[in-house]
Amino acid sequence: MTSEITLVVNPAAGRGRGARAAEPAAGALREAGHRVRVVAGADAAEALDLARAAVAGGTGALIAVGGDGMVSLALQAVAGTGTPLGVVAVGTGNDFARVSGLPVRDPAAAGAAIARALAEGRGRPVDLGRTGDRWFGTVLASGFDSRVNDRGNRMRWPVGRFRYDLAMLAELAALRPIPYTVAFDDAPEREIEATLIAVGNGSSYGGGMRICADAVMDDGLFDVCVVGPCSRSTLLRVFPRVYRGTHPSHPVVTVHRAARVRLAAADVTGYADGERIGPLPLEAETVPGALRLLV
């Protein structure tokens, strides 16, 4: 059985890889007998409108072509609808695709995998996180990491990822413990000090940083990584271990598991899937099986 499939594209993803990736992915789907429509908004708001219109119109699947930002946008359109999501990951970080075991920077292979999943009626139920009306697939970040994002986003020079390296150095110089109020599920609120708190539906963010190393996306629970108060030298020792996912063994790190997490702290912004959500306080909850992922 075939149907129209909608590809929503970020032309700028991966320095232009998004636009170039659409055609080989679409070609693989056409070879499988699907009618393919490619949509690309002039900005994120228009792209989301187009994605939601496609879902409302009964598209057989929505395929996000780009990086984690495009996946995040697509989640807002398909979460809870039953419309399956495919991912053609050609961005810079591609954390959602990596943790889901999907092809990365190989649009033809990604398109072929999506076509096979559709032909075989396969779709993996995946949990999503939700905070307010915003859905996320990987990690909700708050604290040191989100302050680096805030500072980097304010900088106009240099361009590219180097500005976030400079932002990290500036935030290291200003490093102080953050007073949080936290609550897990129905437990009472408690006051803690922390360097950062990351709420993981998936395990990684930032292009392979396994901050919530043991998080899985179909168990109905978040893994919540709390990096406690620490010195600059301690943070610099712990930081490289995040890429290997071995940091939870460090005494300054604790991990909690919960289906609902409430966070409050002054002057701290939350970022989910790398996208700005807004200032704390925030409450995040897991929604089991909110997404049907084509794998």
Side-chain angles (χ1 to χ4, degrees):
M1 181 177 178
T2 62
S3 60
E4 182 177 88
I5 305 301
T6 303
L7 274 67
V8 57
V9 178
N10 177 1
R15 298 179 181 176
R17 284 191 295 267
R20 295 191 298 272
E23 191 48 45
L29 288 162
R30 290 188 181 108
E31 286 179 10
H34 295 281
R35 290 177 289 115
V36 176
R37 185 165 67 102
V38 178
V39 299
D43 55 26
E46 183 180 6
L48 180 55
D49 286 344
L50 292 168
R52 283 176 166 156
V55 171
T59 189
L62 186 70
I63 314 300
V65 184
D68 287 319
M70 183 53 70
V71 173
S72 177
L73 182 148
L75 291 179
Q76 313 315 309
V78 300
T81 68
T83 299
L85 176 70
V87 177
V88 179
V90 291
T92 302
N94 302 310
D95 285 288
F96 184 90
R98 292 180 195 279
V99 301
S100 302
L102 302 176
V104 173
R105 296 185 185 169
D106 189 342
I114 292 166
R116 286 194 300 272
L118 288 167
E120 297 169 12
R122 285 188 286 110
R124 174 187 168 194
V126 169
D127 304 342
L128 293 177
R130 183 170 61 191
T131 177
D133 60 359
R134 183 82 180 187
W135 299 88
F136 65 96
T138 54
V139 177
L140 171 66
S142 74
F144 176 78
D145 43 8
S146 65
R147 285 180 168 172
V148 170
N149 258 327
D150 282 339
R151 184 182 290 269
N153 290 343
R154 292 194 301 268
M155 295 168 65
R156 293 295 173 261
W157 184 91
V159 297
R161 293 184 68 89
F162 187 54
R163 70 182 179 187
Y164 292 96
D165 294 336
L166 290 182
M168 180 177 289
L169 290 174
E171 288 300 324
L172 274 172
L175 184 67
R176 297 288 186 278
I178 298 169
Y180 281 89
T181 301
V182 301
F184 302 117
D185 292 326
D186 295 323
E189 290 185 342
R190 53 190 173 122
E191 309 291 329
I192 66 170
E193 287 194 333
T195 300
L196 66 85
I197 299 178
V199 180
N201 181 60
S203 59
S204 77
Y205 67 174
M209 297 170 63
R210 299 180 60 210
I211 187 69
C212 299
D214 295 324
V216 294
M217 298 172 70
D218 59 2
D219 64 350
L221 294 170
F222 293 127
D223 277 30
V224 185
C225 178
V226 179
V227 179
C230 59
S231 65
R232 285 186 286 274
S233 60
T234 297
L235 186 59
L236 287 170
R237 285 196 299 272
V238 172
F239 182 78
R241 297 173 60 170
V242 174
Y243 287 95
R244 301 189 300 274
T246 60
H247 58 290
S249 64
H250 194 282
V252 79
V253 179
T254 57
V255 178
H256 308 262
R257 306 192 79 219
R260 191 171 71 256
V261 180
R262 298 185 298 282
L263 301 174
D267 302 318
V268 175
T269 305
Y271 284 78
D273 292 340
E275 303 295 311
R276 187 181 190 278
I277 300 300
L280 272 56
L282 291 172
E283 179 170 319
E285 64 174 333
T286 51
V287 183
L291 174 67
R292 180 183 164 205
L293 182 64
L294 296 171
V295 295

